[in-house]
Amino acid sequence: MSDRPDTPILEIDNLSISFFTRAGEIPAVTDFSARVMPGQALGLVGESGCGKSTVALGVMRDLGGSGRITAGRIRFRGRDIAAMSEAELRGIRGAEIAMIYQEPMASLNPAMTVGRQLAEVPMLHERASRRDAMDRARAMLADVRLPDPDRILRAYPHQLSGGQQQRIVIAMALMARPALLILDEPTTALDVTVEAGIIRLIRELGRRHGTAMLFISHNLGLIRETCERICVMYAGEAVEEGTVAQVFAAMRHPYTQALFRAIPLPGTDKNARPLKAIPGNFPLPHERPQGCNFGPRCDHFRAGLCDLRPVPMEPVARSDGHATRCLRHREIDWSAGADAGPGRAPAPAGEVVLEARGLGKVYEVAGGPLSRGGKRVVRANEALSFTAREGETLAVVGESGCGKSTLARVLMGLETASAGEVYLDDRAIGDVPVQRRHRRTVAQMQMVFQNPFDTLNPAMTVGRQILRALEVFGIGADAAQRRARMLELLDLVKLPRAFAGRMPRQLSGGQKQRVGIARAFAGNARVVIADEPVSALDVSVQAAVTDLLMEIQRAQRTTLIVISHDLSLVRYLADRVAVMYLGHIVEIGPTAAVFAPPYHPYTQALLSAVPIADPGVEKTEIVLDGEIPSAMEPPPGCPFQTRCPRKSDVPDNRCERELPALRTMGDGHEVRCHLAEEHLRAMTPVFRAAASG
């Protein structure tokens, strides 16, 4: 079926969806309207619980036994989704409407080869022969730029990387050439370089096939780079909609503005221009306020106006298709900056607290039936040397498999170093496992983990979990002193003292992460390693938790080691940055130096892959071919030479023969690269001001 370019693929009119439980009706989405045209991408953004995924499930009519459309209509190609029979729904799901989920393994059968799973789509929906279906599967693998399609067709999902798995899911969704593609956070778990490739691929395939797309994400940078239109949701409602250019350049709802103020755009500075977290908490569906849902958290709230009755969507003056759910949007000064209070003077770094000298970690693994030697070696960390000072934040960045997490495990004593040494306040700890470390050393070297949901004991109260850490660290002479310290720690992370009696299930994600931070600082830690500490949190909560970490660091002069793939956060948070690739540090130095040329070609590619939500910034696109080689079979010479776009600028195949030494570029900035100094210093910035007009 061919679609007219002026006829919507998807029309949602005044949609309301509720879930019916024993506690009664829970309204998840209210009065939601949207249109998606052929070849157009609509981005849905907002905090967790705002209703984005519920809208997508409503379009698929996959709301489970308790979900129900209570008002409004969803029309797909002019047909009412709610009026379709189950047989009709089965005919369009996967064929005309396809969905890509956040976790690729949730969509792949681990017991079937990739080829069989891809071929099932045309065989089921189009009655294609097995041979034709496999031919189409092979062609689609080439479309999504997977190397060696025949090998991939024979592979099982677990034999592929996360980026390859997600490309398989995209290929599966596109096999039937759907008219509508729904993407629910499709790149959240992927490296920034893989994410950039997949987003570029989705854009290209959408244009080529005229596919309409509903793109669900909390990443405003991705929405800007992927979509033509955007819809911002809050508490089940659309609060602002328009073209990406309209909303990003002239936002007209306080919630949209608050989201932008909570993310680290280029130019934000943790001292001079800190992020501003959204005050208050997201309302539960049965606790939504009268009038404007965002009113209790809004800087522009006016009693007697904003809290009288439900607020309708209104068109923004002198704009085409730009609308907002704000009664005061005509009188607010949208050009005024955030009232962030006085800036803070940068805190000077103190003495060296943590030092690595030639640190290496090697694993021996079974070589498999074809390995003659029986054992093979994985070189996870190679001769890493760096220092971290008191009160300083050192970020470690790089793609999955580069050795960041191995480094964290060695520092924590969960693994011991195979070579070199780690010093904490001049005490050698690299070869001492955590169970043999002195209690004082364990207390002084703590960790904040990525997922707050998995790090708390669900059977213990918040207070008891913090008290347990105090007992282990030997803090307090008796139970009364430990309880007093536990309450002080709740104060430190800005949680009410009443939370001591709560169970983890009664806390939000941001509150759970605050409890994890309280435990990490229970023993007056000298060094805290934060492994993706905010990646599982909403952007507004990320700003609050990031600000909290910096505030505690300033007060206690703690050294932070932040492991992250979010380079926007790193640019905002870190004082110094170490860039890792295949076990090596390929660049290290002050953040301002590492994020501006001259930089290593790998750092340049990482920066190019960062999605930027600021329309005033343009960036150079650099595409990296391939993925990180296996640490079991690293390439000779420079570890990056198999993917480096600048390798041809180095004569005599030197990159393939010699490992470059770290070269000083000035002011503590070091780069491991064979490029001549004039090539490095001639590099142009990845980010630049957008051309006006």
Side-chain angles (χ1 to χ4, degrees):
M1 179 189 297
S2 61
D3 298 289
R4 291 175 49 186
D6 59 345
T7 302
I9 293 289
L10 179 67
E11 299 173 89
I12 305 175
D13 294 313
N14 307 113
L15 176 68
S16 294
I17 297 175
S18 291
F19 291 89
F20 294 84
T21 69
R22 292 179 182 176
E25 180 181 355
I26 299 176
V29 174
T30 56
D31 189 32
F32 179 85
S33 299
R35 302 279 185 282
V36 189
M37 308 300 288
Q40 184 186 73
L42 170 66
L44 285 186
V45 302
E47 294 170 278
S48 299
C50 72
K52 307 185 300 291
S53 295
T54 302
V55 169
L57 293 173
V59 172
M60 298 289 285
R61 221 179 87 183
D62 185 21
L63 295 168
S66 61
R68 193 182 311 162
I69 296 174
T70 57
R73 288 200 301 178
I74 303 173
R75 288 191 293 271
F76 171 70
R77 285 178 158 175
R79 301 162 64 194
D80 189 344
I81 291 281
M84 289 184 184
S85 67
E86 287 296 328
E88 289 175 306
L89 283 171
R90 284 194 298 271
I92 67 168
R93 287 178 184 150
E96 297 180 61
I97 304 177
M99 190 161 179
I100 299 173
Y101 295 91
Q102 178 174 347
E103 175 49 59
M105 281 306 291
S107 304
L108 297 174
N109 187 331
M112 291 174 62
T113 64
V114 168
R116 280 187 61 195
Q117 295 186 63
L118 289 173
E120 270 191 346
V121 178
M123 290 171 68
L124 286 173
H125 293 292
E126 303 173 34
R127 307 289 185 187
S129 69
R130 180 171 181 79
R131 181 173 181 176
D132 287 345
M134 290 298 287
D135 287 343
R136 281 177 56 181
R138 187 177 291 103
M140 185 56 71
L141 290 181
D143 276 350
V144 298
R145 301 206 180 103
L146 279 168
D148 196 356
D150 288 315
R151 179 185 67 82
I152 298 289
L153 287 174
R154 296 191 300 270
Y156 288 89
H158 71 271
Q159 296 173 306
L160 307 175
S161 70
Q164 290 172 330
Q165 290 170 0
Q166 192 64 291
R167 287 171 190 253
I168 297 298
V169 172
I170 292 171
M172 191 180 302
L174 294 173
M175 279 291 288
R177 303 184 183 94
L180 176 66
L181 182 61
I182 302 173
L183 304 103
D184 191 356
E185 301 278 11
T187 62
T188 301
L190 304 178
D191 285 314
V192 65
T193 49
V194 178
E195 176 183 77
I198 285 180
I199 291 305
R200 197 175 293 114
L201 171 70
I202 289 170
R203 284 199 318 243
E204 178 187 315
L205 294 177
R207 285 192 293 264
R208 186 191 308 172
H209 299 295
T211 306
M213 288 188 280
L214 191 62
F215 195 110
I216 297 169
S217 181
H218 69 276
N219 189 323
L220 291 162
L222 280 184
I223 294 296
R224 177 179 171 238
E225 295 188 359
T226 310
C227 301
E228 289 77 34
R229 293 188 64 81
I230 182 174
C231 178
V232 183
M233 293 189 70
Y234 182 80
E237 296 177 326
V239 296
E240 186 166 8
E241 61 179 338
T243 66
V244 166
Q246 287 170 334
V247 174
F248 277 59
M251 58 200 72
R252 288 297 179 266
H253 195 280
Y255 177 60
T256 310
Q257 187 181 62
L259 280 179
F260 274 82
R261 287 175 174 172
I263 60 176
L265 297 172
T268 51
D269 182 276
K270 67 179 180 180
N271 297 308
R273 295 180 58 196
L275 300 181
K276 185 178 180 184
I278 303 175
N281 295 311
F282 192 84
L284 296 174
H286 58 283
E287 296 176 350
R288 289 172 184 158
Q290 177 74 17
C292 175
N293 281 331
F294 189 59
R297 307 175 73 188
C298 182
D299 292 338
H300 306 286
F301 175 80
R302 179 182 292 174
L305 174 67
C306 301
D307 54 358
L308 287 183
R309 60 186 63 88
V311 181
M313 290 288 281
E314 293 183 1
V316 174
R318 297 184 297 278
S319 70
D320 182 17
H322 188 185
T324 180
R325 198 181 293 271
C326 178
L327 295 172
R328 301 193 61 204
H329 73 273
R330 295 180 186 87
E331 57 191 88
I332 294 172
D333 181 4
W334 296 101
S335 63
D339 181 16
R344 297 169 295 203
E351 297 296 319
V352 171
V353 174
L354 183 71
E355 182 177 7
R357 299 179 191 169
L359 179 66
K361 179 59 184 176
V362 174
Y363 298 96
E364 279 194 355
V365 297
L370 300 180
S371 174
R372 296 178 180 177
K375 295 280 187 181
R376 302 181 75 181
V377 170
V378 176
R379 299 187 177 279
N381 288 159
E382 294 261 32
L384 305 182
S385 296
F386 61 88
T387 59
R389 297 178 178 274
E390 181 184 66
E392 180 182 59
T393 300
L394 171 67
V396 183
V397 303
E399 294 168 287
S400 297
C402 72
K404 305 187 303 289
S405 295
T406 299
L407 171 61
R409 288 196 295 270
V410 172
L411 295 179
M412 289 296 299
L414 302 175
E415 304 276 358
T416 54
S418 304
E421 192 50 87
V422 177
Y423 294 91
L424 175 64
D425 287 329
D426 295 324
R427 299 192 307 274
I429 60 171
D431 59 350
V432 184
V434 67
Q435 60 268 28
R436 286 180 39 217
R437 288 185 178 179
H438 191 278
R439 185 167 61 181
R440 184 184 60 151
T441 301
V442 174
Q444 290 182 340
M445 178 87 75
Q446 283 293 294
M447 192 159 184
V448 176
F449 295 91
Q450 177 175 358
N451 195 335
F453 306 96
D454 294 338
T455 55
L456 298 180
N457 187 330
M460 292 172 62
T461 65
V462 166
R464 182 67 197 124
Q465 302 200 45
I466 298 174
L467 285 169
R468 178 62 183 146
L470 293 170
E471 292 168 0
V472 170
F473 299 150
I475 305 295
D478 53 32
Q481 286 189 10
R482 283 191 288 272
R483 177 166 178 79
R485 176 60 179 157
M486 178 267 291
L487 295 174
E488 289 174 0
L489 287 164
L490 289 178
D491 295 339
L492 183 71
V493 297
K494 298 181 179 177
L495 285 176
R497 291 190 170 195
F499 275 37
R502 291 196 180 186
M503 305 299 287
R505 66 176 181 274
Q506 296 173 292
L507 274 57
S508 69
Q511 290 167 342
K512 288 177 182 175
Q513 192 63 298
R514 288 169 186 259
V515 176
I517 293 170
R519 284 196 314 191
F521 283 90
N524 301 313
R526 298 273 285 144
V527 178
V528 170
I529 300 170
D531 186 2
E532 302 280 7
V534 297
S535 64
L537 307 176
D538 283 315
V539 290
S540 57
V541 184
Q542 284 183 10
V545 171
T546 300
D547 189 62
L548 173 68
L549 276 171
M550 290 190 298
E551 188 175 320
I552 297 173
Q553 179 188 40
R554 282 176 169 271
Q556 302 198 4
R557 300 290 292 158
T558 311
T559 302
L560 285 180
I561 310 292
V562 176
I563 295 172
S564 181
H565 70 275
D566 185 344
L567 273 75
S568 296
L569 177 69
V570 165
R571 178 178 50 212
Y572 172 75
L573 183 61
D575 302 303
R576 292 170 61 242
V577 179
V579 182
M580 289 190 66
Y581 186 85
L582 203 61
H584 294 267
I585 290 178
V586 296
E587 185 163 6
I588 188 168
T591 303
V594 172
F595 277 69
Y599 22 48
H600 193 281
Y602 178 59
T603 307
Q604 190 179 38
L606 283 180
L607 292 173
S608 168
V610 177
I612 299 296
D614 188 346
V617 174
E618 291 180 348
K619 68 177 183 180
T620 304
E621 284 201 359
I622 299 169
V623 181
L624 283 186
D625 293 324
E627 299 183 2
I628 292 185
S630 169
M632 201 177 294
E633 297 178 358
C638 173
F640 186 56
Q641 54 101 350
T642 59
R643 301 168 74 195
C644 182
R646 302 291 303 274
K647 187 169 87 168
S648 60
D649 293 334
V650 179
D652 301 326
N653 295 324
R654 192 177 175 195
C655 298
E656 298 178 7
R657 296 183 288 103
E658 298 177 26
L659 174 68
L662 275 170
R663 200 169 1 151
T664 299
M665 307 304 295
D667 297 326
H669 183 198
E670 297 179 295
V671 177
R672 188 184 296 278
C673 185
H674 283 309
L675 280 171
E677 186 161 333
E678 56 266 27
H679 283 285
L680 289 172
R681 298 205 181 275
M683 284 183 169
T684 56
V686 170
F687 302 118
R688 59 195 176 277
S692 59

